[in-house]
Amino acid sequence: MASWLSSPTGPMTTHFWGPVANWGLAGSGMYDAALKGPEIINERMSATQILYSGLFVRFAWAVQPRNYILASCHTANVLAQGNQLRRWGEYTMQTNPETGAATVRNAAMGAAGVGAGIMAAVAASTPLQNSLKGGSGFVARMANHPAGPFYIHFWAPNFKWALSINNLMDFDRPVEKISLSMTSALTLTGLIFMRWSFVITPVNYSLFFVNCALSSSSGYLLARKVKAEYL
């Protein structure tokens, strides 16, 4: 027990509390699925979280020290948000029998297109990197940098901008359709990961800025929800 408490990923470090905070994302999906109706589901945010958490499973494996807690919480979030999308699809088809099926089908086709684009980018990344990294100058340094655009250390943090963009698109979302648990979890994880970005190897400044944006945009929606329903 003493060795675990003082380990590099133990509870005395941000390497522990950052991933633990991310369990709030999966917990939010589970909580809303168990206790809230499907009308509050934000299908765009749930789909974005599936991609985001999928990237962070890989990121957690690549970062040093390797973080199994982070990998497990994001795996759980992929499953939780996938279930939320299933609930949203069923609800949409039940409440809109004329257009619901088409809405769900179009959303599925869009998701498939994004997935195909990601796989194509992954397949092309290694040949492109090899063609660039042998040169000199800024482009070669970028191709070789461990937090550059050919590594997961770049894409996982920067994809997190999509969560903030979703929040900005929902700035006037009706408060009754804002999930208190989800906005709380996103705000907390943004705040903690602002610190975590400086204690991992390599130090990741893009991770800091994206989490600053996430905590701010999620905090705004959280404040609207709390003000409308509890103050």
Side-chain angles (χ1 to χ4, degrees):
M1 177 63 73
S3 61
W4 175 69
L5 291 174
S6 59
S7 69
T9 56
M12 303 300 291
T13 69
T14 314
H15 296 297
F16 176 84
W17 290 109
V20 166
N22 263 333
W23 270 104
L25 301 178
S28 167
M30 298 174 191
Y31 173 85
D32 285 351
L35 299 175
K36 301 293 182 180
E39 66 277 358
I40 72 166
I41 295 174
N42 186 330
E43 74 281 2
R44 185 179 355 98
M45 178 62 85
S46 289
T48 303
Q49 283 199 48
I50 289 174
L51 291 175
Y52 155 73
S53 285
L55 288 171
F56 260 90
V57 170
R58 172 61 182 140
F59 179 84
W61 191 262
V63 76
Q64 295 297 321
R66 184 169 289 168
N67 204 306
Y68 300 102
I69 302 175
L70 186 63
S72 63
C73 74
H74 279 292
T75 300
N77 193 41
V78 169
L79 299 175
Q81 299 304 328
N83 180 55
Q84 286 292 80
L85 283 182
R86 176 193 62 79
R87 295 180 67 222
W88 168 79
E90 292 177 351
Y91 174 76
T92 300
M93 289 188 290
Q94 290 173 0
T95 56
N96 299 286
E98 295 183 358
T99 61
T103 299
V104 174
R105 183 170 58 251
N106 290 338
M109 291 176 62
V114 171
I118 291 174
M119 288 188 289
V122 170
S125 64
T126 299
L128 180 59
Q129 182 186 19
N130 290 336
S131 69
L132 295 175
K133 68 181 182 180
S136 60
F138 171 76
V139 174
R141 292 196 302 272
M142 179 181 66
N144 284 295
H145 197 281
F150 292 99
Y151 295 94
I152 194 65
H153 298 292
F154 175 88
W155 287 108
N158 279 289
F159 189 83
K160 211 168 189 177
W161 284 107
L163 301 178
S164 296
I165 292 171
N166 271 286
N167 283 335
L168 293 176
M169 294 174 68
D170 289 334
F171 78 98
D172 61 348
R173 186 177 178 87
V175 290
E176 64 271 14
K177 291 188 176 182
I178 293 176
S179 168
L180 180 64
S181 63
M182 179 180 289
T183 53
S184 298
L186 289 170
T187 302
L188 179 61
T189 190
L191 290 171
I192 292 180
F193 269 78
M194 287 169 65
R195 167 59 182 160
W196 196 66
S197 62
F198 289 106
V199 298
I200 59 174
T201 302
V203 170
N204 202 311
Y205 296 100
S206 64
L207 184 62
F208 170 80
F209 288 113
V210 73
N211 279 287
C212 182
L214 179 63
S215 61
S216 300
S217 58
S218 299
Y220 168 73
L221 294 175
L222 177 61
R224 287 185 60 220
K225 179 75 169 182
V226 171
K227 180 180 178 181
E229 297 188 1
Y230 299 97
L231 298 180

